[in-house]
Amino acid sequence: MREILLLPYEALTIYNNSLAARIYNIRVDGSNSSSLKLMVEKSLLTWRKFAWIKLIKSNFIYQRLNVEHLISLLSFRLKVKAMKGSNFSTCNVNKNSLSENKFIFYQWLVGFTDGDGTFSIVRQNNKWSLTFKISQSTYNLRVLHFIKSQLKVGNIYVEKDGNHAHFRIRDRDVLESVIYPIFDKYSLLTTKQFNYIKFKEAHAILSNNSLSKLEKDNLIFEIIKTKAPIDYISPAWSLIENNVSNFESASKVMSKAWLVGFTEAEGSFYLVCKSTTRLVHAFEITQKLDKIVLIAIKYLLGISTKVKLTKLENYSIVTTNSRAIENIIKYYKNTMKG
């Protein structure tokens, strides 16, 4: 395998159906926006640094990473302003909009996947299989049925013990036509973005008919061996130079729909007994990696406490502050599907 770097116009020629190419035709308030074009042109110049095309014999495996996220995020924010008159983080998200607006549901799904989803590359009986999976306890089985009903693909499997269930997609054609367009447009914000890229690379190798079985095996084994750096940060955060310092910077990357989905998967709402006569509300999210995600959540939800490293070496954001709890109640009111 060897790598070549394409210039912006060459990359666009290969990927001529990309959002980067189509965005030049977007009209804002009935007229072409020169400022929008300028932003797109600037983002395309960064292609020299971020958009690598991996060449396997005569077939291309592409990783759009930062540039496409930047362009799709720009397009998303323009649509939100046009449709709702609000910003990226606070667009109208509720149970109805999650069911009726694909634009919002897809971001919610990416957030839920960042929490409880996996992209697996497995070799069994001398064959490779790719599986996109979201797992839940069976008490929350309805959220898996909601996902299936919205995507209109996949299947739900309940384990024999009756305690765990999984929504799965294994068909490579379905992955390519349904799943990839969603996760290419709305980037994963955690280390799972690294796994997603590996997943797509494996898909491209398996779909390459010019490769022998042995060549495919060797290439996929190399992909599996590749591990994310300990300090890995999803390329989505490069939009703010990996620095979340306030509500504004957090809201440029993390949408409310994403955060609702992520919270459904990873958030905890519970009560704490402070004394025999005092009971208080608490909210908590814990992650092994991706401290930047918790910092962004802290600012979006108005939590004053810092993200801490626990004794188990997990990052955690937790609050029992009454004002923060009021903000959280308002933020999540009528949004949860699970």
Side-chain angles (χ1 to χ4, degrees), residues 4 16 22 92 104 112 136 142 185 232 256 277 314:
I4 59 173
N16 57 13
R22 297 197 301 274
N92 188 25
I104 293 175
F112 204 105
Q136 290 288 287
R142 65 178 180 177
K185 186 171 185 179
Y232 177 87
K256 181 171 182 177
T277 58
N314 294 319

Side-chain angles (χ1 to χ4, degrees), residues 112 115-116 136 139-140 259-272 280-287 294 297 301 303 314-321 324-325 328-329 332 336:
F112 204 105
D116 280 341
Q136 290 288 287
Y139 77 83
N140 202 24
L259 181 50
V260 170
F262 186 72
T263 304
E264 291 221 49
E266 295 292 321
S268 297
F269 302 86
Y270 57 96
L271 299 175
V272 176
V280 299
H281 296 78
F283 172 80
E284 181 177 4
I285 296 182
T286 300
Q287 289 286 283
L294 297 188
I297 293 173
L301 297 181
I303 298 174
N314 294 319
Y315 293 110
S316 177
I317 181 73
V318 59
T319 184
T320 58
N321 177 271
I325 293 298
I328 290 166
I329 290 172
Y332 290 106
M336 301 290 183

